């Protein structure tokens, strides 16, 4: 089994740490330079939370792979810890892409992005901001913060929604006063105050979480979520994209308005639907189906040097 090489790259003054999986011999390595897939995880997750099986499959099929931790999480630097910021995570994506483009043996014109859940939305934003991105895969993506907030209130209740926002306001003001972050659980059982409390959230997340994973993030991200709407930027995409929607997703509702796809004239996304929940796609038969579709899509999108 291939073991990755630890690498580092700078992002706005801090150091991000990543794993590099070298491409194994195959069709795509016949050229002097080989495509690379840059991978980042979702909401509060780290690179060792279920991403290794994807990375190894991609490397085995002839892709270089770079899997990184965001600042404030995992092995990467950034203080205070457990801070999710859309702006800062987009900076990390941009830094990771630039680093990948400069790595030996990688074709800088064939760097693709792979995101899942929250990062499924981040890769859409990143590709719209950087038109050199060659392709994207967005697995069970968080497409619309407004839909997610509405969905949260539908299962957790208005009171929990208000408590989440109040905690975010308190944390934000605390940050201005240089106080430690106010942390809330990422996952929790139904009825608890957590960012994700659907019946499948706690068992599903823990099924891929590594030992030592911290089930907490700063509450201030609750103030950003309603404004996180990558679905509106889909028509701006200037590269092939694969959107993988889980039909039973209780966390990130798979709502993709037909009007959005109609506006995406030149690069209309390839949409694949799976009859499973948000966390089912990381394991077992749904993982096998998902990753097979990803490899087929990326091979087509990145095959021409």
């Amino acid at each position: 089994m291939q073991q990755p090489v630890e690498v580092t790259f700078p992002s706005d003054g801090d150091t991000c740490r990543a794993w590099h999986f070298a491409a194994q011999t195959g069709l795509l390595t016949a050229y002097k330079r080989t495509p690379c897939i840059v991978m980042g995880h979702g909401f509060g997750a780290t690179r060792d939370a279920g991403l290794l099986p994807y990375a190894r499959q991609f490397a085995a099929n002839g892709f270089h792979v770079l899997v990184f931790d965001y600042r404030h999480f995992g092995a990467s630097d950034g203080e205070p810890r457990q801070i999710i910021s859309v702006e800062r995570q987009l900076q990390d994506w941009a830094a990771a892409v630039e680093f990948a483009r400069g790595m030996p043996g990688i074709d800088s014109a064939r760097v693709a992005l792979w995101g899942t859940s929250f990062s499924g939305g981040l890769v859409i934003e990143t590709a719209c901001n950087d038109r050199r991105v060659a392709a994207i895969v967005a697995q069970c993506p968080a497409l619309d913060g407004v839909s997610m907030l509405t969905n949260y209130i539908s299962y957790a209740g208005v009171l929990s929604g208000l408590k989440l926002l109040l905690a975010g306001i308190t944390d934000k003001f605390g940050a201005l006063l240089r106080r430690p972050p106010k942390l809330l659980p990422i996952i929790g059982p139904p009825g608890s105050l957590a960012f994700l409390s659907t019946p499948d959230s706690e068992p599903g997340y823990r099924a891929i979480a590594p030992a030592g994973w911290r089930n907490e993030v700063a509450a201030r991200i609750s103030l950003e979520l309603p404004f996180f709407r990558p679905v509106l930027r889909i028509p701006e995409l200037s590269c092939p994209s694969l959107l993988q929607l889980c039909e039973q997703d209780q966390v990130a509702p798979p709502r993709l308005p037909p009007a959005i796809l109609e506006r995406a004239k030149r690069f209309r996304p390839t949409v694949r639907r799976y009859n499973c929940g948000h966390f089912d796609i990381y394991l077992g038969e749904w993982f096998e189906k998902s990753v097979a579709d990803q490899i087929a899509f990326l091979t087509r999108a990145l095959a021409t040097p």
Side-chain angles (χ1 to χ4, degrees):
M1 182 179 294
Q2 181 185 171
Q3 296 302 314
V5 174
E6 181 90 358
V7 295
T8 63
F9 60 89
S11 180
D12 197 32
D14 289 319
T15 297
C16 286
R17 291 176 174 81
W19 287 323
H20 172 220
F21 291 82
Q24 298 177 30
T25 302
L27 174 64
L28 293 169
T29 57
Y31 308 106
K32 291 183 179 179
R33 294 186 177 272
T34 303
C36 180
I37 302 169
V38 180
M39 302 179 64
H41 219 316
F43 194 87
T46 50
R47 57 182 168 165
D48 50 356
L51 296 193
L52 283 173
Y54 294 94
R56 288 194 168 107
Q57 288 265 22
F58 295 149
N61 281 272
F63 300 95
H64 284 284
V65 187
L66 184 72
V67 191
F68 73 95
D69 275 334
Y70 300 106
R71 286 173 293 168
H72 308 283
F73 288 91
S76 290
D77 293 350
E79 294 291 339
R81 306 302 290 169
Q82 304 303 110
I83 302 292
I84 297 178
S85 160
V86 172
E87 179 182 5
R88 289 178 71 81
Q89 291 197 347
L90 288 174
Q91 289 173 347
D92 295 344
W93 272 103
V97 171
E98 281 307 303
F99 176 75
R101 286 174 176 152
M103 292 178 67
I106 288 177
D107 186 346
S108 63
R110 291 190 290 163
V111 172
L113 313 182
W114 184 100
T116 186
S117 191
F118 196 65
S119 66
L122 293 173
V123 297
I124 293 172
E125 295 276 356
T126 301
C128 289
N129 297 337
D130 181 353
R131 294 186 175 274
R132 293 176 60 200
V133 169
I136 65 168
V137 170
Q139 175 181 271
C140 56
L143 292 175
D144 189 352
V146 172
S147 292
M148 292 177 66
L149 179 60
T150 302
N151 182 63
Y152 180 87
I153 291 173
S154 73
Y155 71 75
V158 174
L159 183 59
S160 287
L162 291 175
K163 287 180 178 178
L164 203 65
L165 291 174
L166 179 60
I169 293 170
T170 302
D171 184 40
K172 190 70 173 178
F173 275 108
L176 295 176
L177 298 174
R178 299 185 181 278
R179 293 174 179 167
K182 179 178 178 59
L183 301 173
L184 290 180
I186 299 170
I187 55 171
S192 65
L193 183 60
F195 281 97
L196 306 176
S197 59
T198 61
D200 64 334
S201 288
E202 192 167 37
Y205 207 129
R206 291 197 183 281
I208 62 171
W213 169 74
R214 293 179 61 178
N215 179 27
E216 55 188 6
V217 293
R220 67 195 70 172
I221 185 58
S222 65
L223 304 181
E224 293 188 50
L225 290 178
F227 304 99
F228 182 61
R229 307 195 70 190
V231 66
L232 301 180
R233 301 200 69 186
I234 287 176
E236 299 177 40
L237 287 169
S238 58
C239 66
S241 59
L242 173 63
L243 305 184
Q244 297 178 298
L245 308 181
C246 299
E247 293 290 278
Q248 308 303 319
D249 198 327
Q250 300 179 62
V251 173
R255 296 167 190 161
L256 184 59
I260 293 290
L261 294 178
E262 285 299 320
R263 287 169 52 200
K265 300 295 185 182
R266 183 181 175 194
F267 285 98
R268 182 173 296 192
T270 299
V271 179
R272 294 284 182 267
R273 297 180 182 271
Y274 307 86
N275 189 29
C276 66
H278 188 81
F279 297 98
D280 297 330
I281 204 163
Y282 296 96
L283 299 166
E285 65 171 310
W286 295 112
F287 163 76
E288 297 295 340
K289 291 178 180 179
S290 173
V291 78
D293 287 344
Q294 293 168 14
I295 290 169
F297 166 79
L298 290 166
T299 300
R300 291 193 303 269
L302 304 178
T304 304

